[in-house]
Amino acid sequence: MIRPSTWLSDETINAFMAALQLAHPHIKFFNTFFYSVLCGSAGRRSREGYNYEGVRRWTKKQTRSGIFEFESVVIPINKGNSHWCFAVICFKESRISFMDSLAGSTTFAKKVLQNLKRYLCDEWQEKVVSNQQQITLSNIRDIDSFELIEKVSGCPQQSDGSSCGVFVCYFAYCIARGEDVSRLPFNQKEADCFRKGIAYTLTLPLLILTSE
């Protein structure tokens, strides 16, 4: 994990997301399996590559209106079992953003954003409308009007072939701290140092990185 040439496994990324979740309960940190199940690449696969039923119960234990109780939703994404990407849903800003430390074609990004927007529509119908929730969520606007950002301007980029998981953890860390990822001077050298922070967090979860 600490060596610069090491590719972070899903277990490591999931453990880091879980640690962030403990420290930041107002944000939902999904694990790496969420999107794989949602898009049908794990388990049951729909004809159109979308499987809401597979994740319908993932927010069942949340209060009142499921995913919409959170300020933001963080989603680490595995692309073709060879690369880690990242997406974040920000309800306050009515925006879904895709981040890739090896920015390439936007085709995959477009599909991810479409699937996540569809997920929000299905989740709203399932958790709010069908349950006749009489609530007003000031941080939710019309989901159809959400802005979809395929490439975040200034998104930090890796210069090797093994740090994508580190960058994903860093993106999640920034969201947890309320920082703008695109405005922070995070580069490959800092990514190598951040590996130690990830290891430290997983070793001592009660002393999460956000401690001032």
Side-chain angles (χ1 to χ4, degrees):
M1 181 197 306
I2 296 179
R3 292 197 304 272
S5 60
T6 303
W7 200 71
L8 293 193
S9 66
D10 53 352
E11 290 90 349
T12 298
I13 294 175
N14 289 340
F16 189 75
M17 295 298 156
L20 290 177
Q21 186 69 80
L22 287 174
H24 304 277
H26 61 290
I27 299 173
K28 177 60 181 176
F29 295 86
F30 277 123
N31 63 33
T32 58
F33 303 117
F34 171 78
Y35 187 76
S36 295
V37 175
L38 178 67
C39 71
S41 61
R44 183 180 177 182
R45 184 179 182 86
S46 68
R47 292 179 58 186
E48 50 189 1
Y50 178 82
N51 179 26
Y52 174 71
E53 187 61 27
V55 298
R56 182 173 63 86
R57 295 179 180 273
W58 284 47
T59 58
K60 186 177 182 180
K61 295 182 180 180
Q62 307 301 336
T63 61
R64 297 199 301 174
S65 54
I67 202 69
F68 301 101
E69 289 291 329
F70 297 98
E71 293 181 4
S72 302
V73 182
V74 166
I75 308 111
I77 298 169
N78 183 285
K79 180 182 179 182
N81 292 321
S82 62
H83 182 55
W84 292 112
C85 304
F86 182 88
V88 58
I89 301 170
C90 181
F91 292 121
K92 184 177 181 180
E93 299 177 3
S94 299
R95 184 173 65 200
I96 308 175
S97 302
F98 180 85
M99 301 180 197
D100 187 350
S101 58
L102 280 178
S105 171
T106 59
T107 302
F108 182 73
K110 289 179 180 178
K111 184 61 176 178
V112 169
L113 295 173
Q114 291 169 357
N115 280 340
L116 292 179
K117 184 176 181 179
R118 184 175 176 182
Y119 165 74
L120 291 182
C121 291
D122 287 341
E123 187 77 350
W124 182 268
Q125 184 67 33
E126 172 72 19
K127 303 293 167 54
V128 179
V129 177
S130 65
N131 290 331
Q132 298 182 337
Q133 295 281 13
Q134 300 298 318
I135 59 176
T136 299
L137 297 176
S138 60
N139 62 335
I140 302 296
R141 299 176 185 174
D142 182 12
I143 295 173
D144 287 334
S145 68
F146 270 41
E147 181 182 11
L148 305 181
I149 303 194
E150 299 166 8
K151 280 190 175 183
V152 173
S153 178
C155 180
Q157 298 291 287
Q158 65 188 90
S159 60
D160 67 358
S162 58
S163 294
C164 51
V166 178
F167 276 77
V168 163
C169 289
Y170 172 74
F171 296 156
Y173 172 64
C174 287
I175 297 300
R177 292 174 60 90
E179 297 175 337
D180 186 343
V181 174
S182 66
R183 294 182 180 275
L184 297 178
F186 190 75
N187 54 36
Q188 187 63 56
K189 182 178 180 179
E190 290 167 322
D192 293 341
C193 292
F194 193 69
R195 287 176 178 272
K196 297 179 182 179
I198 295 173
Y200 179 76
T201 298
L202 301 187
T203 303
L204 299 172
L206 296 180
L207 298 178
I208 192 71
L209 289 173
T210 50
S211 297
E212 296 293 342

